[in-house]
Amino acid sequence: MSSEIPPYEERIKWFHQARFGIIVHWGLYSIPGRGEWVMKNERIPADEYAQLAKKFNPKKFDADEWAELAKEAGAKYMVFTTRHHDGFCLYDSKVSDFTSVKTAAKRDFVAEYVKAVRKAGLKVGLYYSLLDWRFPGFFDLKSKPDSAKAMVAQAQAQIEELMTHYGKIDYFWYDGSWIPGLQKDEIAEFWETKGINAMVRKLQPHILINNRSGSPEDIDSYTPASKINEKEPGRGWETSMPIGDRGGWGYLHNNPNMKSVTQLIQHLVEAAAGEGNCLLNIGPKPDGTVRKEEVDRLRAIGKWLSANGESIYGSERSPFDRKMLGRTTAKGNIVYAHVFHWPKQGEITFPSIMNKVKSATVLSTGQQARIETGSSCRTFLKDLPKIPPDPHVTVIKMVLDGKPEAGCWWPSTP
Ligand code: FHN
């Protein structure tokens, strides 16, 4: 399967429309329930860790359940860990015996996942960790160059397998490219990234590739939730985060610090306001089921998106002041104000809108605001409810008399 590579602007379209995806961290590390770094954090020898594969036989795994949950959450794409840093493949790799097909489970979970995600009408993403802690050369490149080379060869072969045997892949999510002792600008050369990505694009011409292989490629997925720094217009980017604590992308048995639905929706809005995506992580239990705390939050986000999704999906930046009560997005002559802190008076002031606001409506209820204007280009929305119409984030849809234009800076010129 190979053909001409479509231009970036064409390939990136679905990603900008999607705005929201789900990433799934699941594998042997889910069994101990102490996060996906348990092997390295607890210095578990590779042969001792490999014993987990004898216990990894998740009878309750149902990829359709995962895909349907992501769809119910309002996500438009999914990404699944085909192999994390521990080296265990959740698919049928011919270049490794450490796989879910050749051990207790005897299942190709990636094949089941891809089929289910496509059936749910979502875009298919595969996560792949370049580094593999089982190779001593990862930890000591200088004195174990052959082991490091073998790790690179494994990555090249496995990426080719993933790009060949699982049909159309929409998004390739690299991770784990760092090498102790190498500088950032040496990473791409070490992994021979240029050659690998040329092979990926030849096999999957429409694919999007993130920037975690040491090469910029199509999507900047290095934006941590803690500091959403937007990219230049047009460049696809995403912020990713676990629902619970950092360091717990994989299942953490005790994970009390789950983000609230409001926080998660605000993260999604913050990303959309910068024309970026939010990739939210779930870490299913060892048996393949998703914990209730994550299911409930995803369903609540989906409920919010079913009423307010038009302000997120395919949205663009708006030029208006961000210091208002939340964030704004735009589509043509429409501006969506996502109000995080609803004013008790039921009146909202928008500074610096140079346009005439023709109407202002609470998206989820249809309630109309009365519109007034005042000095220094202020627009007042009045007669709104005093109680926030939405418990998480209320969206007000404003129809302007043309392309949104900000100005009339106060008190000085920009
Ligand atoms: O080390 C990994 C980590 O386990 C997890 O997979 C995250 C997901 O973005 N990526 C790396 C840390 O940045």
Side-chain angles (χ1 to χ4, degrees), residues 58-102:
K59 296 290 185 204
K60 290 185 184 171
F61 172 83
D62 179 345
D64 286 318
E65 263 182 27
W66 287 7
E68 283 307 314
L69 176 60
K71 190 173 177 181
E72 201 178 337
K76 300 301 181 185
Y77 62 106
M78 286 188 88
V79 178
F80 176 41
T81 47
T82 64
R83 182 173 79 61
H84 205 264
H85 311 334
D86 59 359
F88 185 69
C89 295
L90 280 297
Y91 78 97
D92 187 17
S93 174
K94 298 289 180 277
V95 297
S96 169
D97 291 335
F98 196 41
T99 81
S100 57
V101 174
K102 296 172 187 165

Side-chain angles (χ1 to χ4, degrees), residues 324-325 337 339 342-343 345-361 368-384 396-400 410:
M324 52 161 286
L325 301 162
V339 183
W342 192 261
Q345 308 82 351
E347 294 185 4
I348 300 182
T349 301
F350 287 94
S352 72
I353 299 181
M354 301 303 281
N355 307 78
K356 175 177 171 13
V357 179
K358 295 164 69 178
S359 66
T361 312
Q368 296 275 339
R370 181 164 53 84
I371 301 165
E372 289 182 7
T373 54
S375 62
S376 62
C377 308
R378 286 175 297 166
T379 300
F380 305 108
L381 303 188
K382 299 197 169 190
D383 300 348
L384 287 164
I396 298 177
K397 176 177 182 177
M398 292 189 279
V399 180
L400 309 186
W410 179 92

